[in-house]
Amino acid sequence: MNDRSHSPGSVRPGGRTARTREAVLSAALDELAEKGYAALSVEGVAQRSGVHPATIRRRWRTVEGIMCDALTQDSGRAIVIPDTGSLRQDLRQIAQSIGGYYMVERNKAFLGGIVSAAGRDSFAEDALRDTLSVRLRLASEIVHQAIKRGELPPDTDAEEVIAYMAAPLYYRLLVSRRPLDDRLPLVCADAAYHAARAGVFSLPGESAGAASETDEPA
Amino acid sequence: MNDRSHSPGSVRPGGRTARTREAVLSAALDELAEKGYAALSVEGVAQRSGVHPATIRRRWRTVEGIMCDALTQDSGRAIVIPDTGSLRQDLRQIAQSIGGYYMVERNKAFLGGIVSAAGRDSFAEDALRDTLSVRLRLASEIVHQAIKRGELPPDTDAEEVIAYMAAPLYYRLLVSRRPLDDRLPLVCADAAYHAARAGVFSLPGESAGAASETDEPA
């Protein structure tokens, strides 16, 4: 994982190194939320965190390096994988937790910062890609359970179901740039649910899926 | 539309003003594709376009201003609205045209530049939001036709169907950051199709839609 090269792999948890890291990452997220990515600077983070700029440059090199490490830290955030016994309800719970997370202005600003960093720095792009793929893999457990229960075709691409459920939330945040609301996660979950039930996410070659020309009623 | 403040509203088409604009916007997109947004500068655009930096600053002020104007120009790009008589085929054609557009590296770089600019400049953010809403409105004609044909519930939110169809393409480009492929647009179209047929995009309050707790088989 390239983002390692940006983040200290061997901090003693609770030690001074860990406290410095916490101070720097937290200051960076505050700066980002207050001033935006364009104004994010090592100097600003140093001033807010009380950590010397040279220390920050030595360990994180650039603001993109700080973003990578913040993402690594964030990706350690525990994800609760629901198990309600219903795929639709499981999807709704995950969509609601993603939506709730990004309704917090600071988290929304963090996403904007990460995406900007990914557009400017290949380490940040790799860190984003790696983090997302880990999240998708974890969350896709609800789809595997649904397949076991017979709710979905056995050849369903589990991670694709989760990606399609999450995509409209990120589209709203990054592209159409309108505020999230409480309804969106439910619509996201239900859309992914019905598409999955219809076999749209069947792995290519193994069944009709998206290649099918039949317009079976939904 | 705030992006007007960044873009010349009254250029004489074909005149010197128009030629200068064309040279500057085209140079900016080339710079973006070659060097990325982080390296995009008024000086670089001036050098490549042969237009004096002072002229560029006077008319566009910043690289974000140039991005806004490029978006305005791009949004004038004719959109072909299919009318195959089948919603599913219409959705596939639009998804394929979006996918095909972003498979071109220069267009993909432009998207990255616009999203970065939107995160740094409120004019750019407004321009992106306005452009997207115009596109959604235009493309949603295929959904209105499908409703008239009785393919979809009459209370379907037409623009939401298009947004959900497009979202996974932008998610792949901006968030999961993996390459597009020929299959993705078909899956996008079919997912939106089946979700719409299931009534997921019914306008809130008018029917069950996402609020429904029934797990009707897809």
Side-chain angles (χ1 to χ4, degrees):
Chain A
M1 307 231 311
N2 283 330
D3 58 301
R4 284 287 158 70
S5 67
H6 268 312
S7 73
S10 61
V11 295
R12 289 171 287 105
R16 180 145 51 78
T17 314
R19 286 197 305 276
T20 301
R21 181 189 184 206
E22 177 51 40
V24 167
L25 298 190
S26 160
L29 296 193
D30 291 339
E31 288 277 297
L32 193 58
E34 274 180 32
K35 305 174 184 172
Y37 191 81
L40 190 64
S41 70
V42 167
E43 290 65 30
V45 173
Q47 200 156 40
R48 189 186 280 257
S49 65
V51 176
H52 196 285
T55 309
I56 296 178
R57 289 194 198 287
R58 193 165 51 245
R59 197 181 304 166
W60 289 276
R61 284 185 22 224
T62 61
V63 292
E64 284 76 24
I66 299 173
M67 285 293 102
C68 285
D69 197 22
L71 185 60
T72 310
Q73 185 189 55
D74 180 68
S75 63
R77 185 161 47 90
I79 308 177
V80 180
I81 306 302
D83 188 9
T84 64
S86 149
L87 173 64
R88 193 182 190 196
Q89 295 309 323
D90 287 351
L91 285 167
R92 284 176 162 212
Q93 286 191 19
I94 292 181
Q96 284 173 316
S97 80
I98 297 172
Y101 179 76
Y102 287 119
M103 277 192 187
V104 177
E105 207 45 55
R106 194 171 187 263
N107 299 336
K108 185 179 165 184
F110 179 46
L111 174 67
I114 282 295
V115 169
S116 293
R120 305 163 75 83
D121 178 293
S122 67
F123 290 114
E125 182 168 34
D126 292 336
L128 178 57
R129 191 186 294 107
D130 293 342
T131 303
L132 255 293
S133 70
V134 169
R135 299 243 157 163
L136 283 182
R137 198 154 51 244
L138 286 169
S140 65
E141 175 59 23
I142 68 170
V143 181
H144 292 298
Q145 293 304 322
I147 293 169
K148 287 206 192 94
R149 287 192 302 265
E151 276 194 90
L152 294 182
D155 63 355
T156 302
D157 183 331
E159 294 185 15
E160 205 166 12
V161 176
I162 303 299
Y164 274 72
M165 178 268 287
L169 291 159
Y170 290 95
Y171 178 84
R172 175 88 60 104
L173 289 161
L174 295 169
V175 183
S176 65
R177 304 192 86 91
R178 289 178 295 112
L180 298 180
D181 55 63
D182 294 335
R183 179 173 169 269
L184 183 64
L186 302 180
V187 177
C188 289
D190 290 1
Y193 169 79
H194 287 290
R197 295 268 293 178
V200 171
F201 305 120
S202 292
L203 289 156
E206 297 187 29
S207 104
S212 158
E213 291 306 322
T214 66
D215 283 23
E216 68 274 15
Chain B
M1 304 226 315
N2 282 332
D3 58 301
R4 286 285 161 71
S5 67
H6 269 312
S7 72
S10 60
V11 295
R12 288 172 287 106
R16 181 145 50 80
T17 315
R19 286 197 304 276
T20 302
R21 181 189 184 205
E22 179 50 41
V24 166
L25 299 189
S26 159
L29 296 192
D30 291 339
E31 288 279 296
L32 193 59
E34 273 180 32
K35 304 174 184 171
Y37 190 80
L40 189 64
S41 70
V42 167
E43 290 65 29
V45 173
Q47 199 155 42
R48 188 185 280 258
S49 64
V51 175
H52 196 285
T55 309
I56 296 178
R57 289 194 201 285
R58 193 164 51 244
R59 196 180 307 164
W60 290 276
R61 284 186 19 224
T62 60
V63 292
E64 284 76 24
I66 298 172
M67 284 294 102
C68 284
D69 196 23
L71 185 60
T72 310
Q73 184 189 54
D74 179 68
S75 63
R77 186 161 47 90
I79 308 177
V80 180
I81 306 302
D83 186 10
T84 64
S86 147
L87 173 63
R88 194 183 189 195
Q89 294 309 325
D90 287 351
L91 285 168
R92 285 176 162 211
Q93 286 193 17
I94 292 180
Q96 284 173 314
S97 79
I98 297 172
Y101 180 75
Y102 288 119
M103 277 192 187
V104 177
E105 206 45 55
R106 194 171 188 265
N107 299 336
K108 186 178 163 183
F110 179 46
L111 174 68
I114 282 295
V115 170
S116 293
R120 304 163 75 85
D121 177 296
S122 66
F123 290 112
E125 182 169 34
D126 292 336
L128 178 56
R129 190 186 296 111
D130 294 340
T131 303
L132 256 293
S133 70
V134 169
R135 300 242 156 164
L136 283 182
R137 197 155 51 244
L138 286 170
S140 66
E141 176 58 24
I142 67 170
V143 181
H144 292 299
Q145 293 303 324
I147 292 169
K148 287 206 193 99
R149 287 192 303 264
E151 275 194 272
L152 293 182
D155 64 354
T156 302
D157 183 331
E159 293 185 17
E160 206 167 11
V161 175
I162 303 299
Y164 274 72
M165 179 270 287
L169 292 159
Y170 290 95
Y171 178 84
R172 173 93 56 108
L173 288 161
L174 296 169
V175 183
S176 65
R177 305 192 84 93
R178 290 180 293 112
L180 298 180
D181 55 61
D182 294 334
R183 180 172 169 270
L184 183 64
L186 301 180
V187 177
C188 289
D190 290 1
Y193 170 78
H194 287 290
R197 295 269 292 180
V200 170
F201 304 120
S202 292
L203 289 156
E206 298 186 30
S207 104
S212 156
E213 291 307 320
T214 66
D215 282 22
E216 67 272 18

